[in-house]
Coordinates of all heavy atoms in Angstrom, one line a residue:
G15 N -44.8 5.9 -17.1 CA -43.7 5.4 -17.9 C -42.3 5.9 -17.3 O -41.4 5.1 -17.2
L16 N -42.3 7.1 -17.0 CA -41.1 7.8 -16.6 C -40.6 7.2 -15.3 O -39.4 6.7 -15.2 CB -41.3 9.3 -16.4 CG -40.1 10.1 -16.0 CD1 -39.1 10.0 -17.1 CD2 -40.5 11.6 -15.8
V17 N -41.4 7.1 -14.2 CA -40.9 6.6 -13.0 C -40.6 5.1 -13.0 O -39.7 4.6 -12.4 CB -41.9 6.9 -11.8 CG1 -42.0 8.4 -11.5 CG2 -43.2 6.3 -11.9
S18 N -41.4 4.4 -13.9 CA -41.1 2.9 -14.0 C -39.7 2.7 -14.5 O -38.9 1.9 -14.0 CB -42.1 2.3 -14.9 OG -43.4 2.4 -14.4
V19 N -39.4 3.4 -15.6 CA -38.1 3.2 -16.3 C -37.0 3.7 -15.4 O -35.9 3.0 -15.2 CB -38.1 3.8 -17.7 CG1 -36.7 3.9 -18.2 CG2 -39.1 3.1 -18.6
L20 N -37.2 4.9 -14.7 CA -36.1 5.4 -13.9 C -35.8 4.5 -12.7 O -34.7 4.2 -12.4 CB -36.4 6.8 -13.4 CG -36.4 7.9 -14.5 CD1 -36.6 9.3 -13.8 CD2 -35.1 7.9 -15.3
A21 N -36.9 3.9 -12.1 CA -36.7 3.0 -11.0 C -36.0 1.7 -11.4 O -35.0 1.3 -10.8 CB -38.1 2.6 -10.4
G22 N -36.4 1.3 -12.6 CA -35.7 0.0 -13.2 C -34.3 0.3 -13.4 O -33.4 -0.5 -13.0
V23 N -33.9 1.5 -14.1 CA -32.5 1.8 -14.4 C -31.7 1.9 -13.1 O -30.6 1.4 -12.9 CB -32.5 3.1 -15.2 CG1 -31.0 3.5 -15.3 CG2 -33.0 2.8 -16.6
A24 N -32.3 2.6 -12.1 CA -31.6 2.8 -10.8 C -31.4 1.5 -10.1 O -30.2 1.2 -9.6 CB -32.4 3.8 -9.9
V25 N -32.4 0.6 -10.0 CA -32.2 -0.6 -9.4 C -31.1 -1.5 -10.1 O -30.3 -2.2 -9.5 CB -33.5 -1.4 -9.3 CG1 -33.3 -2.9 -8.8 CG2 -34.5 -0.7 -8.3
G26 N -31.1 -1.4 -11.5 CA -30.1 -2.0 -12.3 C -28.8 -1.6 -11.9 O -27.8 -2.4 -11.8
E27 N -28.5 -0.3 -11.6 CA -27.2 0.2 -11.2 C -26.9 -0.4 -9.8 O -25.7 -0.7 -9.6 CB -27.2 1.7 -11.2 CG -27.3 2.4 -12.5 CD -26.2 2.1 -13.5 OE1 -25.1 2.1 -13.0 OE2 -26.5 1.7 -14.6
V128 N -32.4 -7.2 -14.8 CA -33.1 -6.7 -13.6 C -33.8 -5.4 -13.9 O -34.9 -5.2 -13.5 CB -32.2 -6.7 -12.4 CG1 -32.9 -6.0 -11.2 CG2 -31.8 -8.0 -12.0
A129 N -33.0 -4.5 -14.6 CA -33.6 -3.2 -14.9 C -34.9 -3.3 -15.7 O -35.9 -2.7 -15.5 CB -32.5 -2.4 -15.6
V132 N -37.8 -4.8 -13.5 CA -38.4 -3.9 -12.6 C -39.2 -2.8 -13.4 O -40.3 -2.5 -13.0 CB -37.3 -3.2 -11.8 CG1 -37.9 -2.0 -11.0 CG2 -36.6 -4.2 -10.8
S133 N -38.6 -2.3 -14.5 CA -39.4 -1.3 -15.3 C -40.7 -1.9 -15.8 O -41.7 -1.3 -15.8 CB -38.5 -0.9 -16.5 OG -37.3 -0.4 -16.1
A136 N -43.3 -2.6 -13.1 CA -43.9 -1.3 -12.6 C -44.7 -0.6 -13.7 O -45.8 0.0 -13.3 CB -42.7 -0.4 -12.2
V167 N -43.8 6.0 -4.1 CA -43.0 4.8 -3.7 C -41.9 4.5 -4.7 O -40.7 4.3 -4.4 CB -43.9 3.6 -3.5 CG1 -43.1 2.3 -3.3 CG2 -44.8 3.8 -2.3
L168 N -42.3 4.5 -6.0 CA -41.3 4.2 -7.1 C -40.2 5.2 -7.2 O -39.0 4.9 -7.4 CB -42.0 4.1 -8.4 CG -42.5 2.7 -8.8 CD1 -43.0 2.7 -10.2 CD2 -41.4 1.7 -8.7
T169 N -40.6 6.5 -7.0 CA -39.7 7.6 -7.1 C -38.6 7.4 -5.9 O -37.5 7.6 -6.1 CB -40.4 9.0 -7.0 OG1 -41.4 9.0 -8.0 CG2 -39.4 10.1 -7.2
V171 N -37.8 4.6 -4.4 CA -37.0 3.5 -4.8 C -35.9 3.9 -5.8 O -34.7 3.6 -5.6 CB -37.8 2.3 -5.4 CG1 -36.9 1.2 -6.0 CG2 -38.7 1.7 -4.3
A172 N -36.3 4.6 -6.7 CA -35.3 5.1 -7.8 C -34.2 6.0 -7.2 O -33.1 5.8 -7.3 CB -36.0 5.8 -8.9
A173 N -34.7 7.0 -6.4 CA -33.7 7.9 -5.8 C -32.8 7.2 -4.8 O -31.5 7.4 -4.9 CB -34.5 9.0 -5.1
S175 N -31.9 4.0 -4.7 CA -31.1 3.1 -5.4 C -29.9 3.9 -6.1 O -28.7 3.5 -6.1 CB -31.8 2.3 -6.5 OG -32.8 1.6 -5.9

Side-chain angles (χ1 to χ4, degrees):
L16 186 62
V17 296
S18 301
V19 169
L20 291 187
V23 169
V25 171
E27 293 298 314
V128 169
V132 171
S133 303
V167 168
L168 268 187
T169 308
V171 167
S175 305

